[in-house]
Amino acid sequence: MNKAKVEHTSASAPFTAYSRYYDLLYQDKDYPAEAAYIHDVLQRHGVKHGDLLEFGSGTGKHGRLLSLLGYRVHGIERSREMVSQALQTEGFTCEAGDICSVRLARTFDAVLSLFHVVSYQVTNAAATAVFARAAEHLEAGGLFVFDIWYSPAVYHSRPEVRVKRMANASVEVLRIAEPIVYPNEDRVDVAYNVFVTDLVTKSVETVTEVHGMRHFSLPELDLLGAMNGFERIGAEAFLTGAAPSEETWGVCVVMRKI
Ligand SMILES: C[S@@+](CC[C@H](N)C(=O)[O-])C[C@H]1O[C@@H](n2cnc3c(N)ncnc32)[C@H](O)[C@@H]1O
């Protein structure tokens, strides 16, 4: 007999309740390999060390790893829950803020935005604002490095329902992700239903969040870049470096401030 009982249900804004289980849900994500890849991308484009501004720094995984590779990283993150979880160290700091409006009155060697943060900017106004804020925090020659959902792959592969199950010593987390496609807005709303079972009491908490995701084509990004003083100097499959194709869901883009 199933003894599970639903104790608490919440529908919340993106990265509020969900953020409590973020690191567990992504414990299979290879952050060290990703940090090494970003280090390589930066080096290939002339940034070998220095100060990085990370847009949407989440729980600080990339930032801390990049600090171990010799950078000083400062993160801006909208979710206060994520900021409170982020372990700040000498080389990595972060603060709560919105990357559409942040103004730190200083510049960095590069601005990073990793794991689809730019795709969370679903409107033209928000996407343009992020590019403008990136430009304001760079000198001429500085880099804006980010990854996005790539339109050709989204059209080709079509988003589908996905189920993910992860566990630690105290909870099991089951996440169902259901996409709703808005083809005229280049947007996919991903409805996350997360069922969290306490392994001792067997009580179940459910968390519901809808994450709106924008996908981009390269000409569209070039236009956004040009409007904000950038030229694109790279675009490749995230991690592998292959040429972007219909199979490439996540594309890493490198823009240089003119
Ligand atoms: C998929 S998570 C990636 C987090 C982190 N970069 C990582 O790789 O684990 C997307 C993050 O972007 C943040 N985000 C989205 N839009 C934002 C905005 N306008 N300002 C600040 N943070 C934002 C979310 O709160 C969330 O933490």
Side-chain angles (χ1 to χ4, degrees):
M1 194 175 89
N2 183 358
K3 293 195 180 130
K5 57 181 191 298
V6 175
E7 288 235 314
H8 177 65
T9 301
S10 63
S12 53
F15 296 104
T16 46
Y18 183 82
S19 64
R20 288 204 293 278
Y21 306 106
Y22 184 84
D23 281 349
L24 176 55
L25 277 165
Y26 291 109
Q27 68 180 0
D28 56 345
K29 189 170 164 63
D30 195 346
Y31 281 96
E34 293 186 8
Y37 166 73
I38 292 299
H39 182 42
D40 178 61
V41 169
L42 291 170
Q43 288 192 310
R44 273 192 269 141
H45 295 94
V47 173
K48 301 201 185 311
H49 48 74
D51 294 310
L52 307 178
L53 176 61
E54 188 185 359
F55 279 180
S57 48
T59 56
K61 291 268 178 83
H62 289 120
R64 277 199 311 280
L65 289 161
L66 285 162
S67 76
L68 295 177
L69 292 168
Y71 301 94
R72 286 175 302 278
V73 188
H74 185 66
I76 304 295
E77 168 55 53
R78 185 167 56 191
S79 162
R80 288 183 181 277
E81 290 82 357
M82 303 281 262
V83 173
S84 69
Q85 285 179 47
L87 185 62
Q88 302 198 34
T89 59
E90 201 177 320
F92 171 72
T93 53
C94 64
E95 64 183 277
D98 190 325
I99 58 174
C100 296
S101 56
V102 65
R103 288 194 168 87
L104 298 180
R106 59 169 288 211
T107 56
F108 295 78
D109 296 290
V111 175
L112 306 178
S113 197
L114 303 174
F115 199 16
H116 312 148
V117 174
V118 169
S119 278
Y120 274 86
Q121 318 312 312
V122 292
T123 63
N124 283 342
T128 307
V130 167
F131 275 67
R133 299 296 82 73
E136 287 167 4
H137 291 92
L138 294 167
E139 305 289 346
L143 301 182
F144 182 25
V145 179
F146 56 94
D147 62 308
I148 41 88
W149 281 22
Y150 188 47
S151 295
V154 174
Y155 291 129
H156 183 70
S157 308
R158 308 284 302 170
E160 52 191 35
V161 174
R162 289 181 190 278
V163 176
K164 186 169 191 179
R165 208 184 276 271
M166 300 300 267
N168 61 19
S170 50
V171 292
E172 182 188 79
V173 178
L174 169 70
R175 186 191 72 184
I176 301 171
E178 296 174 277
I180 305 166
V181 177
Y182 296 93
N184 295 325
E185 296 171 40
D186 291 354
R187 191 180 106 212
V188 180
D189 282 0
V190 183
Y192 288 115
N193 279 294
V194 184
F195 303 90
V196 186
T197 305
D198 184 308
L199 293 176
V200 176
T201 65
K202 302 295 179 198
S203 65
V204 181
E205 177 192 9
T206 69
V207 169
T208 302
E209 288 187 6
V210 178
H211 292 197
M213 303 299 295
R214 168 85 175 260
H215 51 85
F216 294 92
S217 69
L218 291 181
E220 190 182 8
L221 290 170
D222 289 346
L223 196 58
L224 278 168
M227 284 167 59
N228 292 287
F230 287 107
E231 60 175 347
R232 178 165 57 86
I233 56 171
E236 61 187 42
F238 191 78
L239 272 182
T240 70
S245 76
E246 288 179 327
E247 314 293 335
T248 317
W249 197 281
V251 168
C252 178
V253 177
V254 185
M255 299 242 170
R256 180 165 49 207
K257 183 166 170 180
I258 297 163

